[in-house]
Amino acid sequence: MAAAEITDSLEADAFKKLYPDQFYARFIADGIRPDGRPLGRARTASIGLGAVSTADSSALVKFGNSTALAGIKLEIMVPKDDTPNQGQLSIAVEMAPMCSPDMRPGRPSDAAQVLVEQLNNALLASAKAVNLDDLCIDPGKAAWVAYLDIYVLDSDGSLADVTLLAAVAALATLRLPHVAVTDGGNVVPSSEAAEAAAPDEMAVEPTKLQLRSVPLALTCGLYKDQLIVGLTAEEEALVATSVTTIVDDQGRLIGQLKAGGRAEMDIARLQDCIEAAKLRYAELAGILQQAITQYDGSG
Amino acid sequence: MQPTAGPGPSSEALAKRSDRTELQLRVLTCERSLLHRADGSAKWSQGQTSVLAAIYGPRLTFAKKEHPETCVVEVLVRPKTRLPGPTERQTESLIRQCVEGVVLTAMHPRTAILVVIQVVQNDGCVMACALNAVAAALVDAGIPMHQNFVSVTSALMPGASVVIDPDLAEEQAAEALVCSACTTCRSWPEASAAQKGPAVLAVYTRGAMPVEDYLTLVELNRQGCERVAQFSVMAAEKSLVGKSR
Amino acid sequence: MARRDTSVPYQPQSRPEAVVSDTGERLDGRGLEEFRSAFLSPHALSQAAGSAYAECGKTKVMVGVYGPRQSARATAFSEQGRVQCDVKLASFATRQRRRFGQSTDERELSGLLATALEAAVLRHTFPKSCIDIYCLVLESGGSELTVAITAAAMAIADAGIAMADVVTACSVSRVAGQLLLDPTADEAFREDGSVLLAMMPAANLVTQLVVTGEWSSAQMKQALCLCMGGCLQLDAVTRKALASSEEQALAAMRIE
């Protein structure tokens, strides 16, 4: 009995490796995908906040197998002359060499650079999720620079979605310590500076960073004229083209990227992608809010 | 190189365009076969924006990079100043996937096509100009394609007005930008009867906007692409006629 | 975008001075010879041939193994397979943010990891090929190399690559004359000598020994005994984790 079962699964695996397109087409013709999901359902998301204690805030996000870990570390800088009231948010993405058989250690890969640009576009240029004025400590003298570093640990498709959610979750749980600038130009916790002045004052709690907008992404693909939502790595290789749509909590479209591909999409299809992104937004926002409430309650 | 949507000249100063209407493209020019060492080259200008594209290939490549059944496309984008960074990688990725979509890659297995793009002058719409330059250079190089594409950018200005083909000042003052590429003919190998209406090959947006405005801009781009396609075909015919003499 | 050297780290607290109290209790409440609670889990990643996630106190390490496969670099013919290791610390893993490229201590850790594992892997079973071991330290709370070695051995086993035995590692720090097993980062900061031992517990063979500082032979013996005890404890945990992961995988196949 066991031998027959193992033979069946070996044959299915062999067929999948030799003819991936036909293997996938058989499932799509029945309206489901190899992992059992219907065409319009993205993978369930799980968010773990505050996993890394050495980071000022961290978020581990998984969509099925795709995993990204975002961590923020705060440092002090002198604001630039033309923007004395602003701090900085510096985003970097690294595809860890373990995430995919094609990755090798060494120079940052092109895929990582593209993700950096998409994140910069979504968070800073388009949605303006972070107001850099919030990162100022003392205008002209000191400001926070938040280094948001995202490591892709497992690359199983929809990386734009996973990294954006990880970045947003890490930013939402970032707490800026209360600091003051001494006469010598050093930045110390304001409780220390206050002790020197008035020892009876209570220590001030760190402030949460307020996000002006919460953008979240969804990647959809077009396979033989069917719209597939939430792609895995195998599906990304098989679809004719893919579209990444980013919407925010105010219902605005933050970005839509369709980077060419073997098929066109008409405007109705683009609208379908936006609608799918909005549905996904409601789902993800709920999970994110629950995770944040739980984290704040325990932290 | 990317269109930027950020603080810039005040919107009152840009309320009226001086030389054209809101829905009018700038003057388009296309020069082909500028570079003698490249297999194909084209310099595409939209108003003051100018981008030079060169195509090398199909040619031999390293065994590691080659694909046994298709041609591999590599794109290099060189901005006018500074070193290439994530912005250029994003542009490269977009152009590469557009080119892979239209070129008959199965005709030249185990080879590579290298596309090099140099921004000569930046007065807005650099991404669209680069895509147009690449399309013109592909024709000049004689690479077999089943489609060609053209590209146009439009912007949503403060006050909910839309303009097409913004220049740099308008781009910086815009609330949102949409750059899209459309194909020039209708027959796709994977197209189906269910696909009704106008379609886009590529879309790239920057800035936040309501969904209705986005769809308006996409439709506006499509109309703009039709005009650019007419110009592109005309320019190609002229330069090819010149060659055969 | 600011260059990294234009910002300075913000660290309000310095490391604690005294790591062991007079009653022999450490900062986290452990005894001198107590191990941190270890969580080891193989098959943590889907894309890698073998993977493992290990957590020891506040040290968190993720390892992915690819192979046997063709080496990325062109190398001469060899009848023995090659074991290539790459260790990276995440930029937020340490108290002070690290640069976003590989530094010299990461290269050193990669070399040490390779030494510890090479002896255990049956390299003659994959001639001309190599196995790539990629290790990412997500949080560095002390003894990263020992946790990395244990996790990497588990990942190699998860990948199905033939090994003589699993490798477990343990380290001991000497602080003010006292020997502390499995030191945390604060304790390691105050050490004046350390011993790191990697061994194959069932075969009772040592694959690597790294010693820093001056040691008398009596103290060295004591440290080695402590380390071996720690390794044997870890060995039990590792085998249990591997066995239960195998059971889960078989059960999942039967359901399908």
Side-chain angles (χ1 to χ4, degrees):
Chain A
M1 180 71 177
E5 286 167 8
I6 292 171
T7 316
D8 282 342
S9 88
L10 273 178
E11 282 184 5
D13 277 342
F15 186 69
K16 183 176 167 186
K17 272 216 168 70
L18 290 169
Y19 308 104
D21 199 41
Q22 281 100 310
F23 179 83
Y24 194 61
R26 289 254 196 103
F27 284 92
I28 297 295
D30 285 339
I32 55 164
R33 290 139 89 172
D35 55 9
R37 284 184 287 152
L39 301 186
R41 192 189 302 165
R43 292 171 285 187
T44 40
S46 72
I47 308 177
L49 296 170
V52 177
S53 61
T54 44
D56 291 299
S57 80
S58 59
L60 177 73
V61 173
K62 284 181 87 129
F63 280 19
N65 284 328
S66 274
T67 312
L69 174 65
I72 302 185
K73 273 204 94 66
L74 290 169
E75 291 196 353
I76 310 279
M77 70 175 210
V78 176
K80 296 209 198 94
D81 294 330
D82 50 351
T83 50
N85 288 327
Q86 286 189 353
Q88 206 169 66
L89 174 64
S90 166
I91 303 179
V93 172
E94 178 161 333
M95 310 266 291
M98 65 191 74
C99 76
S100 152
D102 309 320
M103 289 296 149
R104 293 281 189 273
R107 289 177 55 226
S109 60
D110 285 352
Q113 299 268 22
V114 171
L115 285 171
V116 168
E117 178 61 19
Q118 284 179 359
L119 287 169
N120 271 322
N121 192 350
L123 288 170
L124 290 172
S126 300
K128 298 193 175 53
V130 176
N131 188 351
L132 296 176
D133 290 354
D134 293 342
L135 292 174
C136 183
I137 301 170
D138 199 352
K141 289 202 201 140
W144 292 113
V145 47
Y147 288 106
L148 171 61
D149 297 318
I150 303 175
Y151 287 84
V152 175
L153 299 174
D154 200 350
S155 159
D156 193 24
S158 306
L159 289 180
D161 311 354
V162 182
T163 47
L164 184 57
L165 180 57
V168 164
L171 284 169
T173 48
L174 180 64
R175 289 185 164 88
L176 301 170
H178 257 270
V179 289
V181 183
T182 60
D183 298 327
N186 293 324
V187 177
V188 295
S190 60
S191 50
E192 255 179 55
E195 263 170 35
D200 301 321
E201 266 186 43
M202 270 171 43
V204 189
E205 281 296 310
T207 46
K208 257 188 115 168
L209 183 70
Q210 287 294 341
L211 285 181
R212 301 279 185 256
S213 143
V214 180
L216 295 174
L218 178 67
T219 304
C220 308
L222 198 65
Y223 181 78
K224 290 195 174 21
D225 215 44
Q226 303 263 38
L227 193 67
I228 318 278
V229 167
L231 305 170
T232 65
E234 291 165 349
E235 290 172 339
E236 275 182 357
L238 293 170
V239 293
T241 184
S242 71
V243 178
T244 303
T245 315
I246 309 175
V247 292
D248 78 344
D249 47 333
Q250 295 151 34
R252 300 179 298 173
L253 180 78
I254 301 301
Q256 187 159 59
L257 174 67
K258 178 191 183 303
R262 295 193 307 275
E264 287 178 305
M265 260 195 191
D266 50 9
I267 297 190
R269 267 278 145 72
L270 289 176
Q271 269 180 294
D272 289 341
C273 293
I274 298 177
E275 289 309 309
K278 285 190 176 165
L279 284 172
R280 176 72 164 161
Y281 189 91
E283 190 189 322
L284 285 179
I287 298 175
L288 180 62
Q289 194 49 51
Q290 204 180 18
I292 293 177
T293 321
Q294 222 172 9
Y295 176 68
D296 284 343
S298 62
Chain B
M1 166 150 180
Q2 291 305 331
T4 51
S10 68
S11 52
E12 292 88 49
L14 297 165
K16 282 274 190 267
R17 278 175 159 179
S18 50
D19 51 343
R20 52 191 169 125
T21 67
E22 273 78 15
L23 301 180
Q24 195 175 359
L25 299 165
R26 288 179 284 188
V27 174
L28 301 169
T29 51
C30 177
E31 288 172 56
R32 288 191 156 84
S33 301
L34 301 165
L35 306 172
H36 298 289
R37 297 190 71 112
D39 292 319
S41 56
K43 184 168 170 189
W44 187 282
S45 308
Q46 286 174 205
Q48 295 293 321
T49 306
S50 183
V51 174
L52 176 64
I55 307 267
Y56 299 84
R59 61 178 193 174
L60 278 178
T61 180
F62 296 111
K64 271 196 198 145
K65 288 190 189 174
E66 69 182 21
H67 191 279
E69 286 167 17
T70 60
C71 177
V72 171
V73 177
E74 260 180 73
V75 181
L76 287 176
V77 172
R78 294 278 170 265
K80 189 163 160 235
T81 51
R82 71 189 161 85
L83 290 168
T87 318
E88 280 68 44
R89 298 281 165 264
Q90 166 83 75
T91 312
E92 286 171 9
S93 166
L94 191 117
I95 296 180
R96 180 177 53 79
Q97 289 182 67
C98 284
V99 172
E100 280 173 351
V102 298
V103 164
L104 294 167
T105 50
M107 282 191 67
H108 297 281
R110 300 172 57 213
T111 58
I113 295 178
L114 174 66
V115 180
V116 182
I117 294 158
Q118 172 71 56
V119 179
V120 175
Q121 234 184 325
N122 182 357
D123 190 32
C125 293
V126 173
M127 174 85 98
C129 203
L131 281 163
N132 289 326
V134 167
L138 282 170
V139 170
D140 190 49
I143 310 258
M145 305 189 279
H146 59 76
Q147 284 280 353
N148 205 349
F149 56 85
V150 288
S151 169
V152 147
T153 305
S154 55
L156 179 71
M157 307 301 289
S161 63
V162 297
V163 297
I164 198 167
D165 204 14
D167 57 26
L168 192 61
E170 287 169 338
E171 258 188 10
Q172 283 169 343
E175 281 187 8
L177 295 163
V178 176
C179 170
S180 51
C182 302
T183 52
T184 51
C185 36
R186 280 287 138 241
S187 58
W188 275 87
E190 289 185 35
S192 75
Q195 189 168 284
K196 299 176 267 294
V200 294
L201 172 66
V203 156
Y204 177 76
T205 70
R206 199 156 173 105
M209 60 195 129
V211 177
E212 305 78 41
D213 290 346
Y214 167 69
L215 296 170
T216 317
L217 287 174
V218 172
E219 176 56 34
L220 186 63
N221 275 352
R222 193 198 55 81
Q223 290 167 5
C225 280
E226 282 182 5
R227 304 301 297 268
V228 178
Q230 286 169 1
F231 166 78
S232 166
V233 167
M234 205 174 66
E237 280 173 354
K238 267 198 192 157
S239 70
L240 290 171
V241 161
K243 261 186 183 166
S244 68
R245 267 193 215 136
Chain C
M1 191 168 135
R3 294 198 315 276
R4 265 150 222 124
D5 44 17
T6 61
S7 65
V8 291
Y10 170 71
Q11 274 165 15
Q13 293 144 349
S14 50
R15 292 200 186 268
E17 278 286 338
V19 294
V20 186
S21 72
D22 300 323
T23 54
E25 206 184 72
R26 288 150 88 172
L27 288 171
D28 50 8
R30 286 186 286 158
L32 296 181
E33 297 179 6
E34 244 181 87
F35 216 78
R36 283 177 297 187
S37 59
F39 171 73
L40 302 162
S41 157
H43 207 72
L45 303 172
S46 68
Q47 301 290 313
S51 54
Y53 173 70
E55 212 179 285
C56 225
K58 288 212 162 140
T59 304
K60 299 179 170 82
V61 173
M62 176 82 90
V63 178
V65 169
Y66 285 95
R69 63 179 180 181
Q70 189 178 27
S71 177
R73 292 181 295 244
T75 47
F77 171 81
S78 68
E79 281 199 13
Q80 303 261 329
R82 294 161 60 92
V83 172
Q84 288 169 339
C85 291
D86 183 77
V87 176
K88 192 105 183 12
L89 274 87
S91 62
F92 42 77
T94 49
R95 275 160 53 97
Q96 188 171 331
R97 183 177 182 263
R98 305 176 60 87
R99 293 184 157 275
F100 217 59
Q102 201 181 40
S103 60
T104 43
D105 48 327
E106 283 166 345
R107 275 194 277 270
E108 191 190 333
L109 285 174
S110 308
L112 292 172
L113 184 65
T115 318
L117 296 168
E118 264 172 8
V121 175
L122 298 177
R123 294 195 291 146
H124 64 271
T125 57
F126 51 96
K128 300 186 286 183
S129 352
C130 78
I131 58 170
D132 287 309
I133 301 169
Y134 299 124
C135 180
L136 181 64
V137 179
L138 304 172
E139 190 180 345
S140 162
S143 315
E144 299 86 39
L145 185 58
T146 61
V147 183
I149 291 171
T150 314
M154 202 157 64
I156 298 173
D158 185 51
I161 295 168
M163 290 173 83
D165 189 10
V166 284
V167 180
T168 51
C170 210
S171 70
V172 157
S173 272
R174 184 181 62 209
V175 177
Q178 289 173 308
L179 295 182
L180 307 174
L181 180 65
D182 197 21
T184 62
D186 292 334
E187 290 163 356
F189 186 68
R190 301 278 170 208
E191 71 184 6
D192 54 18
S194 75
V195 170
L196 183 146
L197 179 78
M199 65 183 289
M200 296 195 279
N204 209 22
L205 294 170
V206 170
T207 58
Q208 187 179 53
L209 181 63
V210 181
V211 178
T212 63
E214 282 182 25
W215 291 81
S216 65
S217 59
Q219 248 193 344
M220 177 57 105
K221 259 194 188 166
Q222 199 188 357
L224 285 175
C225 280
L226 267 182
C227 281
M228 286 195 190
C231 284
L232 287 171
Q233 269 184 302
L234 259 185
D235 177 51
V237 180
T238 310
R239 282 175 197 276
K240 197 167 150 206
L242 278 169
S244 68
S245 147
E246 265 307 304
E247 272 174 27
Q248 276 176 5
L250 278 174
M253 255 174 65
R254 267 185 231 116
I255 291 168
E256 278 166 28

